[in-house]
Amino acid sequence: MGDESMKLWFRLVVFVMFIVPPSGFCSDLPEILQDLVATGVKQNLGLQIEKIAVDSQMQETVIADSHFDSVVQGSVGFEQTAVPYESYTGFSDTLDTDQISSQVGLNRQLSYGTQFSLGLSTQWTRDNDVSNDLDDRYRTGLFLELNQPLLKGLGKHTNLTSVNISRNKERQAALNYLLKTQSFILTIEITYWQLAGSVRLVELRQESLTLAEELLRANHKRYEAGVVAVTEIQEAETAQADRQLKLSQALQQRQLLYTTLRRLVNASIPTIPSLVTDAFDKPEAELSFGNIDLMLTDAEGKRLEFKLANLDVDNSTLQRDYQLNQLKPQLDLTFRAGVSGLAGEDRGAVLGSQYKGDLFDSYSSLGSADGHEWQVGLNFSLPLDNRQAKARLLQAKQNLVKTGYAIEDLKLQVMDELSQQQIHVERSWEQLQIAERFSELADTSLKQERRRLDEGLSDTFRIINFQENMIAAKIGRINALISYHLAIAKMAYVRGMIFDRFHLIVTNNTEEIKLEKL
């Protein structure tokens, strides 16, 4: 197979993803997140490694197809012999011969199973055989040999099995790269939303520390005025120390997530404050994904795992068909035809040899077909039990059944993933609504308790308790927001819509797969 046909095939391997935003998904993801994904896909070293695997498998296809390449063969040799003999007249002597032989030929196997050889041979001989009127002698020959399988090994489908399997593996390598890319994009999005949540958590921890510091200052003033006991100050100091510790922990988590995101993208990324947008705090309304069976049907067309599994089935089918052919007897038609020429120096034993001449004259004799040969025949062979072929066919059939089961199992797995992820989306949205109501109530309760403290009807212990309730409620809201964003992202992955979600299109420059952001 030539380079051009290989390039044409590879254009067929890389399929273009639809770029229309999928129904049931947010079409206005933060621009910063989309940019992080686009940069990460180009820069991540792990994905670059996967690209190399695609190119490596392409070379395996070339290797498999090279079985049908033409082969030029040549040989040259010198031989010297001395053979004693004795004639019926009692004369004895030694037949001395010097001989140089050379041959050049072209061999090739065709995809139909035909093997042919075309060769040209030249032979120079010098001897002391006086019965031969030519010395030196030049013999040339041109021959054609064909071997055509009639049963076992017949047909393109059989002989291209290894090439077709290798092509499918090349497609699988490209799909595996895209599958790893989808998983990588999901990892970036998960890390981004977790980082956004950690930013909000740091802000909340800073706010809670400010509340503790304000309460401590107020308690100092009330203590100096003789309104409260020293225990009120101690309670406020304890709350301050606890919130300082939790702020430090939140800052640590935020920095770790930022470092992880930067490593994934493998490039400079904006500072932490500029990464988080209002999209984290204001997700779109509750989403509906429709009937689970319809989602499964849609996922079967989009999930790359199904494409990979279908290629496994195709490979197993190719292997089964090949092994079926191997059960047949070996029956080959053979054919050989050739012409030869002769020339040499006249020894003078007879007058006027018609083959007198040099090496080039032997080619003229060859062109006149002074000598010729041809033969045709059949070769037959069949192992009596043929157990190897039968066993390999059984293996191929079992593997085909196994790949069929694998697809059915994949359907069940995807169905389960869709069901579970739909539950996650619905429940995380429900929990977000509850968390927001809880946060509002806790905030209102804290304000009311502050007014009671100002009127002397409350104390530090109760205020700290109400503050903790408010903090817990807001932390619950942040966690609910993270869970909802992650549930949406994972649902896009389960449905095979990651590329659609980020408006990415798969392209290639004939030899390389690329993902580009529109």
Side-chain angles (χ1 to χ4, degrees):
M1 178 180 288
D3 290 342
E4 289 302 319
S5 58
M6 172 62 71
K7 293 177 180 179
L8 175 61
W9 171 80
F10 194 71
R11 281 194 287 269
L12 300 177
V13 173
V14 184
F15 55 91
V16 177
M17 311 296 291
F18 294 106
I19 58 172
V20 178
S23 60
F25 282 111
C26 173
S27 59
D28 56 349
L29 286 167
E31 186 175 352
I32 184 64
L33 174 57
Q34 297 186 50
D35 291 341
L36 288 172
V37 165
T39 303
V41 166
K42 294 178 182 178
Q43 296 290 122
N44 184 265
L45 295 179
L47 292 182
Q48 300 307 311
I49 293 173
E50 290 299 323
K51 273 190 177 183
I52 294 174
V54 177
D55 182 66
S56 178
Q57 187 55 51
M58 287 180 64
Q59 305 315 310
E60 289 294 331
T61 304
V62 175
I63 292 171
D65 197 47
S66 66
H67 179 70
F68 302 100
D69 288 351
S70 299
V71 178
V72 176
Q73 292 181 324
S75 65
V76 62
F78 173 77
E79 180 181 3
Q80 186 178 68
T81 61
V83 180
Y85 72 93
E86 185 172 0
S87 71
Y88 70 94
T89 62
F91 177 77
S92 61
D93 199 355
T94 301
L95 178 61
D96 298 322
T97 304
D98 293 336
Q99 183 172 283
I100 297 176
S101 301
S102 65
Q103 181 173 310
V104 62
L106 177 69
N107 301 332
R108 185 169 184 181
Q109 177 172 340
L110 304 180
S111 58
Y112 286 98
T114 308
Q115 294 180 332
F116 78 86
S117 299
L118 180 65
L120 176 67
S121 63
T122 301
Q123 187 180 82
W124 167 83
T125 304
R126 172 180 292 172
D127 58 32
N128 58 353
D129 182 6
V130 295
S131 66
N132 196 320
D133 192 41
L134 297 177
D135 184 61
D136 301 344
R137 293 190 303 277
Y138 304 97
R139 291 190 180 276
T140 57
L142 179 66
F143 61 88
L144 171 67
E145 293 183 351
L146 294 174
N147 187 87
Q148 175 60 57
L150 301 178
L151 295 174
K152 182 179 178 179
L154 173 66
K156 293 183 67 174
H157 186 75
T158 298
N159 290 284
L160 291 177
T161 296
S162 61
V163 177
N164 291 331
I165 289 176
S166 187
R167 287 174 181 171
N168 283 341
K169 288 183 178 179
E170 188 176 337
R171 293 183 179 100
Q172 287 179 316
L175 291 171
N176 273 317
Y177 162 71
L178 296 176
L179 187 59
K180 292 288 179 63
T181 302
Q182 289 183 341
S183 179
F184 171 75
I185 292 173
L186 177 62
T187 300
I188 286 185
E189 184 172 3
I190 288 174
T191 306
Y192 174 81
W193 292 124
Q194 289 175 336
L195 176 60
S198 72
V199 170
R200 292 294 183 255
L201 183 58
V202 167
E203 294 172 353
L204 178 60
R205 291 300 184 190
Q206 290 172 333
E207 177 186 346
S208 67
L209 178 59
T210 300
L211 291 176
E213 291 170 345
E214 290 175 351
L215 180 61
L216 179 59
R217 287 194 297 269
N219 281 354
H220 272 294
K221 291 180 180 180
R222 285 196 289 268
Y223 174 75
E224 291 170 358
V227 177
V228 297
V230 70
T231 55
E232 300 273 339
I233 295 177
Q234 293 170 343
E235 288 178 356
E237 288 176 339
T238 301
Q240 180 189 42
D242 177 60
R243 293 175 188 180
Q244 286 173 338
L245 174 61
K246 290 178 178 176
L247 174 59
S248 177
Q249 292 171 338
L251 288 168
Q252 177 186 12
Q253 181 65 15
R254 186 185 70 175
Q255 193 60 39
L256 288 172
L257 288 168
Y258 180 77
T259 302
T260 299
L261 186 61
R262 185 170 55 193
R263 177 184 60 80
L264 287 171
V265 175
N266 193 29
S268 298
I269 62 177
T271 57
I272 291 176
S274 59
L275 280 173
V276 183
T277 68
D278 291 341
F280 175 78
D281 304 289
K282 300 175 182 178
E284 288 197 354
E286 181 179 8
L287 302 177
S288 175
F289 299 100
N291 183 277
I292 193 73
D293 292 324
L294 293 177
M295 279 199 295
L296 176 62
T297 301
D298 191 44
E300 287 181 33
K302 289 183 174 292
R303 286 282 292 262
L304 302 182
E305 293 93 330
F306 283 103
K307 299 179 186 295
L308 288 165
N310 287 330
L311 287 171
D312 281 335
V313 171
D314 192 25
N315 281 345
S316 297
T317 303
L318 289 169
Q319 196 66 24
R320 181 204 60 190
D321 293 344
Y322 175 79
Q323 296 303 334
L324 277 170
N325 177 265
Q326 299 305 293
L327 284 177
K328 297 179 179 180
Q330 187 79 47
L331 180 63
D332 294 351
L333 173 67
T334 61
F335 175 78
R336 175 183 171 90
V339 292
S340 59
L342 175 66
E345 298 180 15
D346 193 347
R347 197 190 298 266
V350 295
L351 296 176
S353 172
Q354 63 175 323
Y355 293 110
K356 182 179 180 181
D358 56 17
L359 173 63
F360 296 102
D361 291 315
S362 71
Y363 287 104
S364 299
S365 175
L366 169 72
S368 300
D370 289 339
H372 64 272
E373 64 171 302
W374 71 272
Q375 68 178 42
V376 64
L378 290 172
N379 292 329
F380 176 83
S381 68
L382 175 67
L384 292 181
D385 291 331
N386 209 10
R387 292 190 299 165
Q388 184 184 72
K390 291 176 181 178
R392 291 188 183 280
L393 175 60
L394 181 58
Q395 286 180 328
K397 288 181 176 180
Q398 290 172 338
N399 196 49
L400 182 57
V401 173
K402 185 174 69 174
T403 53
Y405 284 151
I407 288 182
E408 293 304 314
D409 184 61
L410 179 59
K411 289 180 181 179
L412 293 175
Q413 176 187 328
V414 173
M415 173 73 83
D416 183 61
E417 290 175 352
L418 288 168
S419 299
Q420 290 195 27
Q421 210 52 51
Q422 189 169 28
I423 292 171
H424 283 311
V425 172
E426 292 172 352
R427 290 304 177 187
S428 60
W429 174 260
E430 177 184 281
Q431 291 159 17
L432 177 58
Q433 307 313 303
I434 295 172
E436 287 183 341
R437 189 166 70 253
F438 179 28
S439 177
E440 292 172 359
L441 291 173
D443 199 43
T444 300
S445 297
L446 176 60
K447 291 177 181 178
Q448 292 173 346
E449 195 63 23
R450 281 175 178 170
R451 287 197 295 269
R452 285 171 53 80
L453 180 65
D454 293 340
E455 295 170 0
L457 301 176
S458 185
D459 56 26
T460 300
F461 176 80
R462 287 179 59 82
I463 286 295
I464 291 175
N465 188 49
F466 275 89
Q467 286 180 354
E468 291 297 332
N469 287 341
M470 181 272 293
I471 294 168
K474 290 190 175 182
I475 289 176
R477 179 180 178 276
I478 292 172
N479 289 334
L481 281 166
I482 295 174
S483 296
Y484 184 67
H485 284 297
L486 297 191
I488 293 297
K490 291 176 181 178
M491 176 60 98
Y493 179 83
V494 169
R495 296 182 68 186
M497 293 181 171
I498 285 288
F499 291 152
D500 305 276
R501 179 168 167 79
F502 285 91
H503 308 291
L504 290 172
I505 184 170
V506 181
T507 61
N508 71 292
N509 63 351
T510 303
E511 297 178 350
E512 181 184 11
I513 299 174
K514 287 185 178 180
L515 285 166
E516 298 177 354
K517 182 176 182 290
L518 296 188

